[in-house]
């Protein structure tokens, strides 16, 4: 069985890739195919997210095992076979290639071709330039957040700075700070 994926970007309108891959391949094989046809560096952290019909992230499949404290087992690209997680045409995936800004490629399983197999993944359509994998800080279009610190910032609208016990801070200036080589600082 062969999966045909269409890949687009919300950053570069003319970008489009089509990859055909055997359904028995892993997400790591799909990762390498995407990296190969976009020119991305394969040594950067990346994840696939299996999404619902509205592109809401559901299941993450990472390039390497992350140290998580959750009860869920980690899902890595090397261990996850495509047809174990994808079964319907029009299934949606996100390929997050820039963790700092959560930039991603949008992937749709556009066709399932039964009765055929592929030895290795193929990029069968390549249109437009891929989005830049790395953005300079000047190029990010994110908005800068300003923190509005008002009386409700501390969780108590009746907070009054004058109510702090100034006596509790007395003597802090008299503490001797050690600067020996064995210090952790």
């Amino acid at each position: 069985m062969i999966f045909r994926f269409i890949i687009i970007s919300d950053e570069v309108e003319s970008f489009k890739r089509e990859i055909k891959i055997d359904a028995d391949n892993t997400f790591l094989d799909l990762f390498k195919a995407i990296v190969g046809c976009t020119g991305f560096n394969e040594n950067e952290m990346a994840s696939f997210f299996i999404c619902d019909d509205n592109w809401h992230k559901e299941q993450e499949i990472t390039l390497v095992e992350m140290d998580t404290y959750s009860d869920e087992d980690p899902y890595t690209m090397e261990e996850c076979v495509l047809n174990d997680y994808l079964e319907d045409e029009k299934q949606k995936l996100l390929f997050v290639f820039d963790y700092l800004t959560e930039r991603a490629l949008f992937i749709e399983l556009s066709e399932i071709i039964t009765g055929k197999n592929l030895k290795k993944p193929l990029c069968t359509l390549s249109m437009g330039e891929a989005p830049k994998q790395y953005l300079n800080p000047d190029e990010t279009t994110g908005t800068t957040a300003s923190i509005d610190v008002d009386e409700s910032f501390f969780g108590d609208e009746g907070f009054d700075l004058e109510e702090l016990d100034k006596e509790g801070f007395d003597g802090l200036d008299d503490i001797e700070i050690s600067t020996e080589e064995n210090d952790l600082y």
Side-chain angles (χ1 to χ4, degrees), residues 78-89:
E78 186 175 16
E79 297 171 349
C80 295
V81 176
L82 293 171
N83 64 8
D84 289 343
Y85 296 87
L86 307 172
E87 51 194 40
D88 298 320
E89 289 184 359

Side-chain angles (χ1 to χ4, degrees), residues 52-64:
D52 65 12
D53 290 337
N54 295 316
W55 297 100
H56 295 118
K57 297 175 183 175
E58 292 182 338
Q59 176 66 54
E60 181 177 19
I61 300 171
T62 59
L63 182 58
V64 295

Side-chain angles (χ1 to χ4, degrees), residues 150-184:
D150 60 6
E151 57 272 354
S152 65
F153 177 73
F154 296 101
D156 182 6
E157 293 177 11
F159 175 79
D160 183 5
L161 188 59
E162 297 299 317
E163 290 179 1
L164 283 177
D165 181 12
K166 292 178 184 167
E167 290 176 14
F169 294 99
D170 285 343
L172 288 178
D173 293 330
D174 300 332
I175 295 176
E176 191 174 312
I177 299 175
S178 173
T179 56
E180 294 179 21
E181 288 183 28
N182 295 336
D183 283 349
L184 295 175

